[in-house]
């Protein structure tokens, strides 16, 4: 077996190879036949497959030769992609040494693309590609070749696989799949600092030639950046690139295949590079060489803003953050410094009141510094700056100032009008020193207890004061300067009313009544301890004393014992108290407060006699009659009467409502005027064969289903309902339609006798042997009629025959009538 590959001259020219020596090297006696070389088309990369049978020759001439095992020996075939010539591309030739050229051998090709992309000449074994191939879609095809007998289709050789590879050409430009790119690099970075790596891909075969070998170059972005030709890494090319001067750069990178040689394809991408900030700029006050001038009025209150200044730092974020502080000056205790979080300005605020008359100018030094310093740029420092601030105090027309923040005075109660309470004093701190006028605002002294001298601020009483009514008076005094802007100020004046013993003592609220037992023993002390209260203030040595009033000092029932601790006890002088005889005693008691001047009063103590048990525990203090009435108690009787009255009221109200209820003016939907429809259970019988029923009877579910049983007798058998004879009744049945439907069903049913119901009553006599049963058509004569024929109508008319089949019977009245 021998496999030989051939390459056309055009292929070698594409590969820049010297192909002539190769062709000479490949030349051999086996290829002396021009038909075997198969170099027929230019610009083709083809393969030639030749199958030979190896014969073993040995011995002398005429020796029988033994055939060895034959098989296919294959090599790869090649075909160039994107061929657009007018003729099919010859891929290669299959040939077996079994083929003697007689045409008995048939070559068969199967596998990927066989018959569609690759076709074979079954006689010669030539394989052609009929379509343009794209290596990027499929790089190779696996096919199976076989030689069979043309007449019997029996294989002459075993089938074997071979591969047809699509040879790559440079037909795909490089592509940046992830572009455009965005990158960031710190400003002031060193030269050759890596920024980002860009990567392009080429769909061509990387193992064949230079088609997929890419070279990167920079088209836009010099001289700031450069790119490594092999890796695509972009690096900085200039030192000290300043973000404050330029922040963004647009760089264009090109990738070219064929190793960058002429004729290669290329693709580009854009890279947007942003310089990030570093702290490379110190803060600067715009007026650092001069002085900031500010002013503040002396009437400003602490916390108000005086002015602002700002140290500018072009850096961003924390790199541009500036902290401010006072470093020197005579106003460091008068002013304070803060930072506006939004504007980054230093805010000067008033910390204490300033006084134009005392100091008119303050000098401060403010330092602004970066809290975050980059060690790489320490040599570029210092990262701070100072500014001088001069703050002048402006004169203002200030209100008068009281000598004290508040005043407290005392005055005795009941003092006559005009009594001096105290004096307030205010002064004008302005240079002009205007006179002051005083007044008491009416809303602070509504009842006008006090008055003030408008010139000197002397406060006096306007009427007597009562400590027990109001112990403190809190008023305000206003001081207004005369002239200028009439500035005024107010001060609080607290006036305490001193106590005078002008209220007598009296029994405490819970000591007006005491209780004692009927069985109290004479001389028993302390029925109950009593105490007193006094609206006046009690002195340190002041206490209450108790005694009986002179008019009852010699009574024989009770006495008072003073406990010398501002309390007293009631003492029983006799025994034999009975609550049935007298249950309440009144005892006048005189109470003295021992004050200056001393005040006393007489109070009546109520003593109630109660029944007690053996342990002197009070059981009852109410007077009870000797004989209690039998039956229910008064409370129970009252409750019963109340219940009876309530029940009677409910009954009367119910009756009244029933009488006032009127009939409705309209007939509601649920009321049906056809409620007295009459049905006849049998024919005849007068009033005995009628009954009233509700209209709901017509809406019988059985009737809605098409089946209405007889009411006068139970049917012996029933016929099955005819298909389609009934229909479901609606919720609201139209009576006229309902009756017409039932009439039609009854007329068409030969098995159903006429029902004694309303739906067929009007048609009962038509065509019937019984005729009409209506009394309107009956014989008007009084002659007797013979109804014996009713007996022959069957059991369904039995009842009617019994009613009309017999003659009338009359009582025997002596005229020969028949007795019944």
């Amino acid at each position: 077996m021998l496999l030989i590959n051939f390459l056309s001259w055009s292929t070698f020219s594409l590969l820049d190879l010297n192909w002539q020596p190769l062709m000479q090297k490949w030349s051999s006696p086996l290829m002396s036949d021009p038909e075997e070389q198969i170099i027929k088309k230019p610009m083709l990369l083809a393969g030639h497959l030749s199958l030979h049978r190896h014969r073993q020759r040995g011995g002398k001439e005429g020796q029988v030769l033994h055939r060895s095992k034959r098989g296919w020996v294959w090599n790869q075939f090649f075909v160039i992609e994107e061929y657009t010539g007018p003729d099919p591309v010859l891929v290669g030739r299959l040939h077996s040494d079994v083929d003697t050229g007689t045409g008995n051998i048939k070559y068969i090709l199967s596998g990927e693309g066989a018959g569609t992309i690759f076709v074979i000449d079954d006689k010669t074994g030539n394989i052609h590609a009929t379509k343009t191939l794209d290596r990027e879609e499929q790089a190779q095809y696996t096919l199976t070749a076989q030689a069979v007998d043309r007449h019997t289709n029996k294989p002459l050789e075993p089938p074997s696989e071979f591969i047809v590879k699509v040879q790559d050409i440079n037909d795909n430009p490089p592509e940046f799949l992830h572009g455009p790119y965005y990158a960031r690099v710190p400003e002031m970075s060193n030269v050759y600092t890596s920024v980002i790596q860009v990567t392009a891909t080429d769909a061509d075969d990387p193992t064949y030639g230079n088609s997929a070998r890419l070279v990167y170059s920079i088209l836009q972005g010099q001289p700031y950046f450069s790119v490594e030709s092999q890796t695509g890494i972009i690096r900085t090319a200039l030192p000290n690139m300043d973000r404050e001067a330029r922040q963004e750069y647009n760089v264009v990178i090109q990738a070219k295949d064929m190793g960058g040689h002429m004729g290669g394809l290329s693709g580009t991408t854009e890279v947007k590079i942003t310089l990030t900030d570093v702290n490379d700029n110190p803060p600067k006050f715009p007026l650092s060489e001069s002085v900031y001038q500010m002013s503040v009025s002396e009437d400003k209150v602490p916390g108000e803003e005086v002015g602002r200044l700002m140290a500018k730092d072009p850096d961003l974020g924390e790199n541009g953050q500036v902290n401010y502080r006072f470093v020197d000056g005579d106003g460091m205790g008068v002013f304070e410094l803060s930072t506006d979080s939004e504007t980054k300005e230093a805010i000067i605020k008033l910390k204490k009141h300033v006084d134009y008359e005392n100091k008119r100018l303050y000098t401060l030094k403010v330092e602004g510094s970066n809290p975050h310093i980059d060690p790489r740029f320490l040599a570029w420092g210092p990262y701070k700056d100072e500014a001088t601030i001069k703050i002048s105090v402006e004169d203002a027309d200030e209100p008068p100032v009281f000598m004290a923040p508040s005043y407290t005075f005392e005055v005795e109660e009941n003092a006559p009008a005009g009594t001096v309470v105290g004096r307030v004093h205010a002064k004008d701190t302005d240079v002009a020193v205007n006179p002051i006028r005083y007044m008491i605002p009416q809303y602070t002294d509504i009842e006008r207890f006090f008055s003030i001298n408008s010139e000197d601020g002397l406060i006096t009483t306007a009427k007597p004061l009562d400590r027990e009514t109001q112990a403190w008076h809190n008023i305000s005094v206003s001081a207004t300067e005369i002239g200028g802007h009439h500035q005024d100020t107010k001060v609080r004046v607290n006036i305490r009313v001193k106590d005078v013993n002008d209220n007598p003592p009296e029994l405490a609220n819970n000591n007006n009544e005491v209780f004692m037992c009927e069985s109290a023993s004479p001389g028993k002390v302390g029925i109950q301890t009593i105490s007193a209260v006094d609206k006046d203030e009690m002195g340190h040595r002041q206490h209450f004393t108790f005694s009986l009033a002179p008019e009852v000092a010699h009574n024989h029932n009770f006495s008072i014992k003073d406990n010398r601790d501002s309390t007293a006890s009631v003492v029983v002088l006799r025994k034999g108290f009975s609550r049935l005889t007298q249950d309440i005693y009144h005892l006048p008691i005189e109470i003295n407060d021992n004050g200056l001047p001393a005040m006393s009063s007489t109070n009546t103590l109520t003593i109630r006699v109660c029944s007690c048990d053996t342990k002197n525990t009070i059981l009852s203090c109410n007077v009870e009659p000797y004989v209690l009435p039998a039956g229910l108690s008064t409370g129970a009787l009252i409750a019963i009467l109340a219940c009876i009255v309530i029940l009677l009221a409910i009954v009367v109200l119910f009756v009244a409502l029933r009488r006032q209820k009127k009939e409705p003016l309209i007939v509601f939907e649920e009321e049906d005027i056809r409620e007295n429809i009459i049905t006849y259970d049998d024919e005849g019988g007068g009033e005995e064969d009628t009954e009233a029923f509700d209209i709901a009877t017509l809406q019988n579910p059985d009737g809605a289903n098409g089946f209405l049983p007889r009411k006068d007798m139970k049917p012996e058998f029933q016929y099955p309902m005819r298909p389609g004879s009934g229909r479901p009744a609606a919720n609201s049945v139209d009576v006229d339609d309902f009756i017409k439907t039932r009439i039609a069903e009854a007329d068409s049913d030969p098995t159903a006798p006429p029902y004694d119901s309303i739906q067929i009553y009007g048609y009962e006599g038509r065509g019937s042997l019984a005729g009409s049963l209506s009394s309107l058509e009956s014989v008007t004569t009084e002659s007797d009629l013979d109804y014996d024929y009713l007996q022959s109508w069957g059991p369904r008319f039995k009842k009617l025959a019994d009613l009309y089949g017999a003659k009338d019977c009359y009582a025997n009245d002596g005229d020969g009538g028949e007795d019944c």
Side-chain angles (χ1 to χ4, degrees):
M1 300 296 179
L2 180 62
L3 176 65
I4 301 175
N5 290 332
F6 291 90
L7 298 176
S8 68
W9 64 267
S10 58
T11 303
F12 285 100
S13 64
L14 288 174
L15 298 178
D16 295 331
L17 297 176
N18 189 358
W19 59 273
Q20 292 180 356
L22 292 176
M23 293 300 294
Q24 294 175 359
K25 181 179 180 181
W26 287 353
S27 299
S28 65
L30 294 177
M31 299 178 57
S32 59
D33 188 356
E35 294 181 358
E36 295 291 334
Q37 295 183 7
I38 319 177
I39 303 176
K40 299 181 179 180
K41 299 293 181 180
M43 299 299 292
L44 296 180
L45 178 60
H48 173 68
L49 175 64
S50 177
L51 179 64
H52 298 272
R53 297 201 174 151
H54 296 275
R55 305 178 183 271
Q56 295 181 354
R57 304 177 181 270
K60 297 179 180 181
E61 186 176 353
Q63 184 179 357
V64 178
L65 298 178
H66 300 278
R67 297 184 60 184
S68 62
K69 183 178 180 181
R70 295 164 178 79
W72 293 92
V73 179
W74 301 100
N75 216 347
Q76 294 181 345
F77 289 161
F78 296 87
V79 59
I80 295 179
E81 67 171 335
E82 305 294 345
Y83 173 72
T84 57
D87 299 327
V89 179
L90 177 62
V91 178
R93 172 184 292 179
L94 299 179
H95 184 74
S96 175
D97 56 0
V98 179
D99 188 0
T100 59
T102 59
N104 295 327
I105 302 299
K106 180 180 180 182
Y107 296 98
I108 299 174
L109 186 66
S110 62
E112 294 179 323
T116 56
I117 299 176
F118 302 101
V119 296
I120 187 171
D121 189 335
D122 60 353
K123 295 180 179 180
T124 63
N126 293 336
I127 302 174
H128 291 83
T130 61
K131 294 184 179 180
T132 301
L133 302 182
D134 188 356
R135 190 199 67 84
E136 286 70 37
E137 293 182 1
Q138 187 167 347
Q140 64 183 22
Y141 298 84
T142 301
L143 299 171
T144 301
Q146 190 173 19
V148 298
D149 187 273
R150 182 176 297 275
H151 303 289
T152 63
N153 285 330
K154 291 184 178 181
L156 301 178
E157 297 289 347
S160 296
E161 289 185 355
F162 66 95
I163 295 175
V164 177
K165 284 192 174 182
V166 182
Q167 192 69 42
D168 182 55
I169 64 173
N170 189 18
D171 60 343
N172 290 280
E175 293 183 357
F176 291 90
L177 301 179
H178 303 289
Y181 295 85
Y182 297 89
R184 299 165 66 88
V185 62
E187 63 175 334
M188 300 296 172
S189 296
N190 296 327
V191 176
Y192 212 62
T193 299
S194 175
V195 179
I196 191 175
Q197 182 178 12
V198 297
T199 304
T201 59
D202 195 318
D204 294 324
D205 188 0
T207 63
Y208 178 76
N210 293 329
S211 297
R213 182 168 171 264
L214 304 181
V215 175
Y216 299 93
S217 61
I218 183 169
L219 300 182
Q220 176 181 325
Q222 303 95 340
Y224 307 102
F225 301 95
S226 63
V227 63
E228 293 183 358
S229 60
Q230 301 300 324
T231 62
I233 298 177
I234 301 175
R235 301 181 182 273
T236 57
L238 284 182
N240 302 329
M241 287 192 293
D242 191 3
R243 183 198 64 82
E244 288 72 31
R246 181 177 177 183
Q247 184 175 1
E248 294 183 352
Y249 297 84
N250 291 324
V251 178
V252 178
I253 301 297
Q254 181 190 63
K256 189 174 183 181
D257 59 12
M258 296 293 293
H261 295 155
M262 183 178 298
L265 303 178
S266 64
T268 60
T269 186
E270 183 176 352
V271 183
K272 186 174 183 180
I273 302 176
T274 303
L275 298 183
T276 59
D277 184 63
V278 298
N279 190 8
D280 59 338
N281 294 282
K284 292 291 182 181
F285 287 104
L287 300 178
S288 58
E289 298 180 356
S290 59
V291 178
Y292 287 86
Q293 299 289 344
M294 299 180 183
S295 62
V296 60
S297 179
E298 63 176 339
D299 59 353
K300 296 294 184 181
V301 297
E304 291 197 34
E305 182 178 323
V306 177
R308 296 189 176 206
L309 72 161
M310 181 179 179
K312 295 184 178 180
D313 191 332
D315 296 324
L316 300 177
E318 65 176 16
N319 297 323
Q321 183 178 349
V322 180
N323 290 348
Y324 301 94
R325 66 185 184 97
F326 289 135
V327 294
D328 194 10
D330 56 0
M332 296 178 64
V334 181
F335 301 94
E336 61 183 358
L337 195 61
S338 62
T339 304
D340 191 324
S341 59
E342 295 183 359
T343 62
K344 310 300 182 183
E345 295 176 304
I347 305 175
I348 312 297
K349 292 183 179 180
L350 189 63
K351 186 177 181 180
K352 295 181 180 179
H353 281 287
V354 292
D355 189 0
Y356 174 81
E357 288 72 25
N358 293 332
K359 188 173 179 62
R360 302 184 181 183
L361 182 65
Y362 294 91
T363 302
L364 292 169
K365 277 192 174 181
V366 179
E367 178 189 83
S369 61
N370 289 141
H372 305 284
I373 300 176
D374 195 332
R376 297 176 297 172
F377 307 104
L378 283 176
W380 296 16
Y383 287 89
K384 61 182 178 179
D385 194 15
E386 291 184 357
T388 301
I389 304 174
K390 289 189 176 181
I391 303 175
S392 59
V393 180
E394 297 178 349
D395 187 24
D397 188 9
E398 298 175 285
V401 177
F402 283 95
M403 296 297 98
S406 63
Y407 295 87
T408 300
F409 303 119
E410 291 183 347
V411 62
E412 290 186 353
E413 67 173 329
N414 301 325
T419 301
V420 176
V421 177
R423 183 191 299 273
V424 297
H425 179 65
K427 67 176 183 178
D428 186 9
T429 58
D430 295 327
V431 179
V433 189
N434 294 319
I436 305 299
R437 184 183 299 277
Y438 303 93
M439 64 172 294
I440 299 176
Q442 184 178 355
Y443 66 87
T444 65
D445 185 19
I446 298 176
E447 299 185 12
R448 297 187 179 276
F449 288 109
F450 306 96
S451 62
I452 188 171
N453 190 307
S454 62
E455 296 181 358
D456 58 7
L458 185 65
I459 301 174
T460 58
T461 59
K463 61 177 68 175
L465 305 176
D466 185 7
R467 189 202 68 85
E468 286 71 38
T469 303
Q470 188 173 351
W472 284 86
H473 294 267
N474 302 316
I475 64 173
S476 295
V477 174
S478 174
T480 306
E481 63 180 21
I482 301 174
H485 294 83
H486 299 283
Q487 297 278 4
D488 69 328
T489 186
K490 294 180 178 61
V491 69
R492 188 176 186 83
V493 179
N494 304 314
I495 302 173
R496 175 178 175 268
V497 181
K498 298 171 63 177
D499 182 52
V500 174
N501 193 22
D502 58 346
N503 291 282
E506 57 187 12
L507 286 174
N509 292 333
N510 58 347
N511 294 143
N512 292 327
E513 186 178 42
V514 297
F515 302 91
M516 64 169 288
C517 295
E518 291 177 314
S519 59
S521 301
K524 181 176 179 58
V525 179
I527 295 176
Q528 186 170 339
T529 302
I530 60 176
S531 60
V533 294
D534 193 337
K535 295 180 181 179
D536 296 322
E537 293 180 354
M538 295 293 292
H540 178 65
R541 297 181 179 179
Q542 188 176 355
H543 64 278
F544 298 115
T545 59
F546 299 84
S547 62
L548 292 177
E551 62 269 18
V552 295
H554 302 289
N555 75 92
H556 302 288
N557 296 322
F558 307 98
S559 65
I560 292 295
K561 179 183 178 182
D562 194 336
N563 297 327
R564 299 182 182 279
D565 60 354
S566 296
T567 64
S569 300
V570 180
V571 180
V572 179
L573 298 180
R574 70 177 179 87
K575 66 177 181 178
F577 290 93
S578 175
R579 59 190 178 121
L580 299 178
T581 303
Q582 184 176 354
D583 62 336
I584 295 177
Y585 294 86
H586 297 285
L587 185 64
I589 299 175
E590 185 177 298
I591 307 174
N592 194 305
D593 60 6
N594 296 325
L596 292 176
M599 300 293 291
S600 63
S601 65
T602 301
N603 297 264
T604 300
L605 178 66
T606 301
I607 302 174
R608 187 177 295 277
V609 181
C610 303
S611 63
C612 303
D613 57 11
T614 57
K615 297 181 180 180
N616 292 329
T617 301
I618 297 176
L619 300 177
S620 176
C621 296
N622 295 325
V623 179
E624 298 178 358
Y626 290 106
V627 180
L628 295 177
L632 298 174
S633 63
T634 304
L637 291 175
I638 293 175
I640 293 174
L641 291 176
C643 292
I644 294 174
V645 171
I646 293 173
L647 291 175
L648 290 176
I650 293 174
V651 172
V652 172
L653 180 62
F654 180 78
V655 172
L657 292 176
R658 289 295 299 267
R659 290 183 177 180
Q660 293 179 0
K661 184 178 180 181
K662 296 180 179 180
E663 293 296 330
L665 297 178
I666 61 175
V667 178
F668 294 100
E669 293 180 358
E670 62 269 19
E671 296 181 2
D672 201 318
I673 59 175
R674 300 165 294 180
E675 60 184 358
N676 290 324
I677 298 177
I678 299 174
T679 180
Y680 286 83
D681 291 335
D682 50 20
E683 292 88 354
E687 297 180 353
E688 295 180 357
D689 62 346
T690 64
E691 67 175 4
F693 66 98
D694 190 80
I695 188 62
T697 303
L698 295 178
Q699 301 178 0
N700 188 341
D702 295 334
N705 295 329
F707 174 72
L708 293 174
R710 289 286 301 264
K711 292 185 178 181
D712 57 339
M713 63 178 294
K714 182 177 180 180
E716 297 178 358
F717 60 93
Q718 295 182 358
Y719 289 89
M721 185 176 63
R722 297 181 308 276
S725 61
R727 62 178 177 179
N731 292 334
S732 179
V733 179
D734 186 82
V735 177
D736 185 59
D737 293 341
F738 187 87
I739 292 175
K740 290 180 180 179
T741 302
R742 292 298 175 264
I743 292 173
E745 293 175 357
D747 291 341
S748 60
D749 188 1
T751 63
Y755 295 114
D756 293 327
S757 57
I758 186 171
Q759 62 264 32
I760 59 174
Y761 179 80
Y763 303 92
E764 188 172 353
R766 295 183 181 179
S768 174
L769 298 177
S772 175
L773 299 179
S774 175
S775 60
L776 298 178
E777 299 180 4
S778 301
V779 180
T780 57
T781 61
E782 296 181 357
S783 60
D784 294 335
L785 296 178
D786 186 8
Y787 296 101
D788 293 339
Y789 59 87
L790 294 176
Q791 299 291 340
S792 62
W793 283 9
R796 296 184 178 181
F797 295 91
K798 183 178 182 302
K799 188 173 182 179
L800 188 62
D802 292 341
L803 293 175
Y804 290 91
K807 296 182 179 180
D808 294 338
C809 298
Y810 301 96
N812 188 1
D813 55 357
D815 296 332
E818 182 181 359
D819 295 335
C820 297

